[in-house]
Amino acid sequence: MMTEYVSTTPGLYPLPDWAKDDLSDLKGHQKHDLISGDEDVAITATYEEAREDVIDVQQDTGLDRIVEGQLRWDDMLAHPLAVADAVETHGIVRYYDNNNFYREPVVTDDLEPTGDIASELEAAAELAQGDDLQAVLPGPYSLYDLATDEHYGDDGDFLAAIAAFLEGEVDAFPAHETLFLLEPSLVETPPADGEDARASEAIDRVASATDADVIVQPYWGALEEKVYAHLLDADIDAVGFDFVANQDDNLYNIQEYGTTDNVALGLADGQNTLVEDPEAIRDRTEWVDGQLGVTEFETVYLTTNTGTFYLPYGKYVAKLEALAEAADLAEVTAA
């Protein structure tokens, strides 16, 4: 069996510099106030043009999976809830221990899918012109962890409601090759005993809504052993590993508990301006494989460990170029 090497990213791209300037001129306040689901025509046009730019960049670099870019997601992972009718957005909150901020989504009524992400993907699919499309969503546990419940009244019911909400969003997606579920909360605020099984069930529910390959991408470290073992119970195609933040514990989890037939390796730093050489990424891929000593993976996704939202635009482009070239080098080496 020949391993396929696929270059991709978890999405969450930076805006092109011209778009930042235009949006600042269009609205004389912080950009997070613009993301309300009813932007005026000029703002909508700016985001549409920026989407064209980031998709052009992915195609020009030869990236194997094309993402929409999530340029409107100023609340980052919280965005799908922030635009829902049953959610009020409250004050600014820090993401984990990072200098990243979002408006707190407070759920006040029954959650219903919005179709917001599906409409973005439909626009991306038209621009991708037949290239393999990759959808990106926050995982249900991370969205549950970041949100506040003022309606369901029970943690288990709230997590299940968020999973059902995301399932409905995925149901509306156009055809896509892969789906990345971003789950940093599994690392940063890991679920307790009992809750870890419910988190896996929630992920399984969202993953079951698509025929695409589903990759669960935790980051900013490694999963606790029980959390990792429960994650493997979900019907997913690949687990992502942040080898930038933690090599040893991620390797231990794979060696001790095994993993899926496919794997996503976060080998390029999505938040550091230092651009990795393609050869270095290829060498790290070989190093991981050598450390594991396992049967060949069917597919290895080479990716940044996190989104690239906070990188300067030129550095983001360079990271994509490095990943695309690294995947090509890995294919040649494997052959």
Side-chain angles (χ1 to χ4, degrees):
M1 180 186 69
M2 180 73 73
T3 299
E4 179 185 10
Y5 293 88
V6 174
S7 55
T8 189
T9 66
L12 298 174
Y13 287 166
L15 275 164
D17 294 336
W18 66 263
K20 290 180 185 177
D21 294 340
D22 284 2
L23 288 167
S24 179
D25 291 341
L26 286 166
K27 293 284 186 178
H29 48 66
Q30 292 295 316
K31 182 171 158 282
H32 63 70
D33 292 331
L34 308 179
I35 311 304
S36 61
D38 56 357
E39 299 95 332
D40 67 26
V41 173
I43 291 173
T44 299
T46 300
Y47 280 115
E48 289 175 349
E49 188 176 349
R51 180 189 295 123
E52 293 180 23
D53 273 16
V54 299
I55 289 179
D56 284 345
V57 164
Q58 293 173 83
Q59 292 174 319
D60 289 345
T61 59
L63 215 64
D64 295 311
R65 295 289 186 271
I66 303 298
V67 300
E68 186 272 336
Q70 296 72 52
L71 302 178
R72 290 177 57 245
W73 293 25
D74 253 33
D75 292 302
M76 305 299 280
L77 297 177
H79 171 83
L81 281 181
V83 297
D85 290 339
V87 175
E88 298 175 358
T89 51
H90 288 192
I92 300 298
V93 183
R94 287 184 66 178
Y95 265 118
Y96 314 113
D97 292 326
N98 297 280
N99 281 325
N100 308 335
F101 298 88
Y102 66 104
R103 297 172 302 169
E104 178 190 14
V106 180
V107 178
T108 59
D109 205 343
D110 287 348
L111 287 169
E112 298 289 342
T114 66
D116 182 78
I117 313 303
S119 64
E120 291 180 341
L121 279 172
E122 287 165 359
E126 291 182 10
L127 295 168
Q129 298 178 339
D131 288 340
D132 289 339
L133 186 67
Q134 176 175 295
V136 174
L137 274 178
Y141 178 75
S142 291
L143 206 54
Y144 155 84
D145 176 51
L146 298 171
T148 297
D149 173 31
E150 290 188 356
H151 175 66
Y152 291 96
D154 175 83
D155 287 347
D157 291 344
F158 187 39
L159 177 58
I162 287 180
F165 167 75
L166 291 176
E167 179 186 27
E169 298 286 4
V170 173
D171 279 339
F173 284 1
H176 51 289
E177 189 73 18
T178 49
L179 167 62
F180 260 53
L181 293 177
L182 309 184
E183 283 283 19
S185 285
L186 287 177
V187 172
E188 289 290 318
T189 51
D193 286 349
E195 192 176 48
D196 46 14
R198 291 196 297 270
S200 176
E201 291 166 2
I203 290 168
D204 184 85
R205 181 169 184 174
V206 179
S208 297
T210 178
D211 293 329
D213 289 340
V214 177
I215 298 93
V216 175
Q217 180 83 6
Y219 46 92
W220 291 324
L223 298 176
E224 293 181 355
E225 292 181 55
K226 283 193 66 178
V227 175
Y228 179 72
H230 277 294
L231 178 59
L232 293 180
D233 291 334
D235 186 16
I236 58 177
D237 297 278
V239 176
F241 298 93
D242 181 352
F243 278 101
V244 173
N246 189 324
Q247 292 183 358
D248 294 342
D249 291 341
N250 277 314
L251 282 173
Y252 172 82
N253 280 340
I254 300 172
Q255 291 167 336
E256 187 71 15
Y257 299 100
T259 192
T260 44
D261 291 337
N262 310 308
V263 67
L265 302 180
L267 295 171
D269 195 330
Q271 296 187 309
N272 191 311
T273 56
L274 178 65
V275 178
E276 297 83 357
D277 292 330
E279 293 83 0
I281 298 174
R282 187 270 316 274
D283 291 346
R284 292 171 193 174
T285 305
E286 293 179 353
W287 179 84
V288 171
D289 185 58
Q291 293 295 310
L292 297 179
V294 297
T295 304
E296 286 183 314
F297 293 109
E298 293 178 8
T299 304
V300 173
Y301 296 91
L302 299 184
T303 180
T304 53
N305 61 328
T306 68
T308 55
F309 181 82
Y310 293 99
L311 288 179
Y313 194 74
K315 295 292 186 179
Y316 134 79
V317 173
K319 295 273 185 178
L320 267 57
E321 291 171 340
L323 285 169
E325 187 174 342
D328 290 342
L329 289 171
E331 290 276 4
V332 171
T333 301

